[in-house]
């Protein structure tokens, strides 16, 4: 049994979650559910990054004690699991998980050959929690936040990243560390080839407001938030403890897959693998990078009002987890940004889920009820005109597997959608109601049998993507006492 470990990044909790966070969580959940369904042993991990200076500043601005502020927002992230029907096996909160600090301390010590102290002056963006060189700025402003970075001068611990250009390049070009999409892999290689500079991995405890993990043996310094945060992928496996989970999910021969947004690519594809090499640990096997969502054409800013407008839990409460998941999976491309609006969510759900899928299942169950007393006709040869539908049913599993191997969620959902699309076409063409009137029992049996097979396949193949809807469809397609239940809608229409 293959062990597959799937992680999302751990977001800062300086604000409540927005739809962009939901994208990564839903993608990871789909992969986890699909892999479990394929027989892998899966561990899906999510969490929050509590030890950030950004959280401290946001709490101060809100006039709330840091602990209370961090707890409140972290709870909102945790609540997404229920709201969006996610199945994380573990949820780590870096400030209060007892496994985290011993793991980070062990990691730090394991890297000690590459750690040294140095006086440093640079331009620091608190929004990004990173230093920038002047060349990386846009007209003197942070490319992510459009703010002017702070000039900071201090003595810090540094990590000898410069040593790892060769080994990193080799791991990436040989595919031992797979980075998708290819454009992101090339971006990382270009960054490595431009020369890797050592990076700061601590800051004075004073500037961190006393928040964070002290450097082992140097309590005047706090471990830099990125070093701390990246460690979560192994500290949650109890890297600092007895290591049983660590042996199973990280040190073993399985898959170790990180999902992340383009803004944190370098940390995950350069710094993190170098830290792992330095500390003598295996690399991740895969990194999948998604682009960003905008909302109504605008960057989802951290302003409370803008975030509130696209809060995934609120959207799921109003429109259902299925509709939110379907939009994220069907409309967000593998490469390129996507724009979220409630109108698009409603249009996509009504068009495909209510009118396409839901209507199909409803009609098929109703026809089997009306013409066959709820008894599903047994297997029959594929009737004329049903060849494309039969092919769509038989190919769906393989197509979904291949698409998810490439992290292509649109392609994967297209394979499910093809079943519904072909089935609706087949209903219009085969006209079961005419066959019933014409008393063509064998032909009608063959048509209904194929349509029932299509609905069952939809329930099965849809399960990783829309688990709640899949369960309802499967319920409609499962006879009890030999008969299907009475038809009941599997999706409600959202539009007016
Ligand atoms: Zn920034």
């Amino acid at each position: 049994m293959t062990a597959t470990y799937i992680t999302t990044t751990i977001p800062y909790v300086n604000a409540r979650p927005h739809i962009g966070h939901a994208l990564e969580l839903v993608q990871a959940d789909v992969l986890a559910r699909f892999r479990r369904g394929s027989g892998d042993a899966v561990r899906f991990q999510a969490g929050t990054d509590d030890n950030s200076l950004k959280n401290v500043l946001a709490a101060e601005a809100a006039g709330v004690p840091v602990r209370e502020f961090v707890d409140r927002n972290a709870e909102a992230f945790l609540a997404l699991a229920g709201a969006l029907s996610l199945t994380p096996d573990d949820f780590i909160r870096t400030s209060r998980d007892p496994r985290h600090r011993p793991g980070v301390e062990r990691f730090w010590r394991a890297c000690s050959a590459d750690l040294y102290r140095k006086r440093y002056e640079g331009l620091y963006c608190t929004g990004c929690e990173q230093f920038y060189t002047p060349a990386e700025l846009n007209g003197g402003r942070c490319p992510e936040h459009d703010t002017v970075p702070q000039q900071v001068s201090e003595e810090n611990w540094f990590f000898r990243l410069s040593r790892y250009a060769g080994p990193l390049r080799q791991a990436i070009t040989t595919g031992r560390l797979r980075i998708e999409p290819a454009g992101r892999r090339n971006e990382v290689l270009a960054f490595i080839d431009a020369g890797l500079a050592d990076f700061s991995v601590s800051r004075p405890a004073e500037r961190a407001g006393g928040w964070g993990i002290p450097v082992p043996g140097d309590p005047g310094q706090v471990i830099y938030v990125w070093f701390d945060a990246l460690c979560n992928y192994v500290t949650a496996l109890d890297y600092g403890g007895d290591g049983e989970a660590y042996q199973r999910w990280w040190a073993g021969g399985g898959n170790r897959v990180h999902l992340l947004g383009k803004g944190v690519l370098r940390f995950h594809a350069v710094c993190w693998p170098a830290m792992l090499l330095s500390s003598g640990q295996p690399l991740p096997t895969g990194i999948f990078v998604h682009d960003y969502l905008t909302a109504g054409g605008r960057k989802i800013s951290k302003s409370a009002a803008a975030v509130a407008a696209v809060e995934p839990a609120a959207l799921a409460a109003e429109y259902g987890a299925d509709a939110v998941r379907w939009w994220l999976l069907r409309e967000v491309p593998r490469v390129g940004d996507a724009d979220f609006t409630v109108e698009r969510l409603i249009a996509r759900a009504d068009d495909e889920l209510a009118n396409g899928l839901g209507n199909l299942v409803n009609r098929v169950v109703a026809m089997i009820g009306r013409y066959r007393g709820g008894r599903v006709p047994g297997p029959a040869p594929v009737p004329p005109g049903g060849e494309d539908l039969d092919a769509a049913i038989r190919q769906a599993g393989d197509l979904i597997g291949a698409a998810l191997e490439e992290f292509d969620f649109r392609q994967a959902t297209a394979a499910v959608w093809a079943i519904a699309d072909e089935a609706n076409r087949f209903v219009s063409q085969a006209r079961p109601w005419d066959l019933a009137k014409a008393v063509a029992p064998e032909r009608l049996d063959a048509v209904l049998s194929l349509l029932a097979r299509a609905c069952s396949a939809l329930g099965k193949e849809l399960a990783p993507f829309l688990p709640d809807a899949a369960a309802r469809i499967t319920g409609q397609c499962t006879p009890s006492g030999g008969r299907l239940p009475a038809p009941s809608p599997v999706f409600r229409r959202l539009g007016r």
Side-chain angles (χ1 to χ4, degrees):
M1 193 188 270
T2 309
T4 293
Y5 180 47
I6 298 167
T7 70
T8 62
T9 49
I10 50 171
Y12 299 132
V13 289
N14 61 328
R16 292 172 62 83
H18 57 68
I19 190 78
H21 298 116
L23 172 67
E24 192 171 305
L25 285 162
V26 167
Q27 289 178 336
D29 187 62
V30 168
L31 294 178
R33 286 177 181 273
F34 180 78
R35 291 284 194 162
R36 286 187 203 114
S38 311
D40 283 13
V42 172
R43 184 178 174 107
F44 163 22
Q45 186 192 299
T48 51
D49 179 359
D50 297 355
N51 289 341
S52 157
L53 183 56
K54 237 168 123 161
N55 300 336
V56 177
L57 297 178
E60 280 168 5
V64 177
V66 179
R67 167 58 69 193
E68 190 186 324
F69 181 84
V70 162
D71 281 351
R72 198 195 290 164
N73 283 335
E75 282 304 317
F77 276 90
L78 187 54
L80 285 184
L84 295 172
S85 300
L86 307 173
T87 53
D89 297 291
D90 196 5
F91 189 93
I92 183 169
R93 290 194 45 201
T94 54
S95 72
R96 52 171 45 193
D97 194 303
R99 300 167 299 184
H100 188 61
R101 183 167 170 170
V104 174
E105 289 171 345
R106 180 176 171 201
F107 209 122
W108 180 276
R109 290 197 190 93
C111 290
S112 60
D114 287 319
L115 299 173
Y116 64 95
R117 272 188 87 130
K118 184 174 94 169
R119 177 132 212 103
Y120 187 77
E121 278 185 42
L123 296 162
Y124 192 81
C125 173
T126 312
C128 297
E129 299 269 23
Q130 75 173 94
F131 284 102
Y132 280 100
T133 63
E136 289 171 321
L137 300 174
N138 283 341
R141 291 169 171 272
C142 167
E144 285 284 320
H145 293 92
D146 200 33
T147 49
V148 178
Q150 257 182 293
Q151 179 72 40
V152 169
S153 168
E154 60 198 19
E155 187 166 317
N156 292 337
W157 285 91
F158 273 71
F159 177 84
R160 233 180 283 277
L161 183 64
S162 50
R163 276 184 57 187
Y164 291 96
L168 286 176
R169 184 164 225 299
Q170 210 241 355
I172 295 166
T173 52
T174 58
R176 183 155 67 96
L177 170 54
R178 182 177 167 221
I179 301 171
E180 295 288 349
R184 298 297 170 199
R185 176 171 62 245
N186 295 338
E187 188 184 324
V188 171
L189 289 172
F191 180 71
I192 293 171
D193 290 347
L196 295 180
D198 295 350
F199 72 105
S200 163
V201 287
S202 77
R203 66 161 69 88
E206 201 181 320
R207 191 160 73 82
W211 193 247
I213 301 175
V215 168
D218 188 1
Q221 292 269 314
V222 167
I223 296 176
Y224 176 52
V225 61
W226 272 103
F227 191 100
D228 172 325
L230 288 165
C231 288
N232 94 87
Y233 300 125
V234 294
T235 61
L237 301 175
D238 211 11
Y239 169 71
D242 69 10
E244 200 181 304
Y246 178 82
Q247 289 305 324
R248 177 160 193 214
W249 301 103
W250 197 270
N255 306 304
R256 298 173 290 275
V257 180
H258 298 312
L259 270 66
L260 45 120
K262 61 183 173 184
V264 294
L265 174 61
R266 285 179 196 177
F267 288 109
H268 284 80
V270 178
C271 302
W272 171 235
M275 287 162 57
L276 288 164
L277 290 171
S278 173
S279 56
Q281 302 182 65
L283 298 180
T285 57
I287 287 179
F288 172 64
V289 188
H290 61 79
D291 287 356
Y292 286 163
L293 294 184
T294 52
R298 285 170 310 163
K299 191 169 172 177
I300 302 174
S301 75
K302 298 290 185 280
S303 93
V307 172
V310 288
E311 269 216 36
L315 291 170
E318 179 144 12
Y319 303 107
D322 290 326
V324 177
R325 288 176 68 114
W326 193 244
W327 186 85
L328 292 168
L329 296 164
R330 278 292 276 161
E331 291 220 4
V332 178
R334 185 170 181 271
V335 176
D337 295 344
D339 188 47
F340 176 84
T341 65
V342 167
E343 291 71 26
R344 287 195 185 116
L345 177 143
I346 291 174
R348 182 60 87 166
D350 280 352
D351 185 29
E352 294 188 343
L353 300 183
N355 297 350
L357 265 155
N359 210 14
L360 170 76
V361 173
N362 209 257
R363 283 168 95 187
V364 170
V365 173
M367 287 191 289
I368 291 173
R370 194 176 313 134
Y371 304 136
R372 290 293 179 263
R375 295 183 187 278
V376 181
V382 175
E387 296 82 4
D388 288 351
L389 172 56
D390 178 58
I393 296 169
R394 282 189 291 103
Q395 290 163 3
D398 287 347
L399 290 175
I400 292 167
L404 292 183
E405 187 57 36
E406 299 298 318
F407 305 101
D408 194 335
F409 298 91
R410 277 217 295 205
Q411 198 72 41
T413 46
V416 186
W417 173 245
I419 300 175
D421 203 27
E422 289 294 346
N424 276 318
R425 205 191 325 271
F426 178 64
V427 171
S428 311
Q429 185 215 313
R431 304 177 67 83
W433 46 91
D434 285 347
L435 297 175
K437 269 185 248 160
V439 197
E442 280 178 22
R443 182 71 198 283
L444 181 59
D445 275 349
V447 167
L448 293 178
S449 171
L450 177 58
L451 288 171
R453 195 149 63 81
C455 293
S456 297
L458 283 170
K460 173 173 171 268
E461 306 296 358
L462 208 51
F465 307 98
L466 303 185
D468 303 344
R472 289 195 298 276
I473 293 172
T474 299
Q476 283 279 285
C477 299
T478 307
S480 127
R483 291 167 200 275
L484 293 185
S488 96
V490 288
F491 294 104
R492 66 185 169 99
R493 277 188 62 82
L494 303 177
R496 275 150 206 107

